[in-house]
């Protein structure tokens, strides 16, 4: 895996917190549907895959938000890309902080 991307999708025209969550949930559901490894945090969602897949997902997040009714959105993206090798995984970065998370539990047991 040569790419890791943090995506923060912000519906700028949402009138309520519930509306923000509804649109963001639609974007996260789309990310889930792609089959890539991802991690949802309180401010952004991190995805891991090859570069082209990550860039396609970033592009489609705006389209999914628009389809969910968002007419104005801002998307902030951080990209970690190594064309000749692997990037550090989300599990490697934060797994030790989530020992009870089933996503990381196997690694946590190996460390213990």
């Amino acid at each position: 895996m040569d790419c890791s991307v943090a995506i923060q999708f912000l519906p700028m025209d949402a009138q309520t917190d519930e509306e923000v969550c509804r649109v963001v949930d639609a974007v996260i559901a789309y990310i889930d549907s792609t089959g890539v490894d991802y991690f949802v945090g309180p401010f952004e969602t991190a995805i891991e895959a090859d570069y082209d897949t990550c860039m396609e997902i970033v592009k489609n997040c705006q389209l999914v938000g628009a389809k969910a009714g968002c007419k104005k959105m801002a998307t902030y993206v951080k990209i970690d890309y190594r064309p000749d090798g692997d990037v550090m995984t989300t599990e490697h970065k934060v797994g030790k902080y989530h020992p009870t998370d089933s996503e990381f539990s196997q690694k946590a047991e190996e460390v213990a």
Side-chain angles (χ1 to χ4, degrees), residues 44-61:
E44 63 191 15
T45 299
I47 62 172
E48 300 172 338
D50 65 87
Y51 180 82
D52 290 334
T53 298
C54 287
M55 295 304 101
E56 185 71 14
I57 290 169
V58 168
K59 177 186 85 173
N60 287 330
C61 285

Side-chain angles (χ1 to χ4, degrees), residues 8-83:
Q8 182 183 35
F9 180 88
L10 300 170
M12 303 300 289
D13 59 350
Q15 299 297 310
T16 65
D17 289 346
E18 290 76 20
E19 181 68 3
V20 169
C21 290
R22 184 188 68 76
V23 176
V24 170
D25 286 347
V27 172
I28 294 170
Y30 159 69
I31 292 169
D32 180 64
S33 76
T34 68
V36 300
D37 286 336
Y38 69 97
F39 181 84
V40 177
F43 293 101
E44 63 191 15
T45 299
I47 62 172
E48 300 172 338
D50 65 87
Y51 180 82
D52 290 334
T53 298
C54 287
M55 295 304 101
E56 185 71 14
I57 290 169
V58 168
K59 177 186 85 173
N60 287 330
C61 285
Q62 282 69 236
L63 302 176
V64 168
K67 187 174 180 181
C70 189
K71 292 185 166 88
K72 182 178 181 186
M73 62 206 83
T75 304
Y76 298 91
V77 178
K78 295 181 269 188
I79 303 168
D80 180 7
Y81 174 55
R82 287 190 186 175

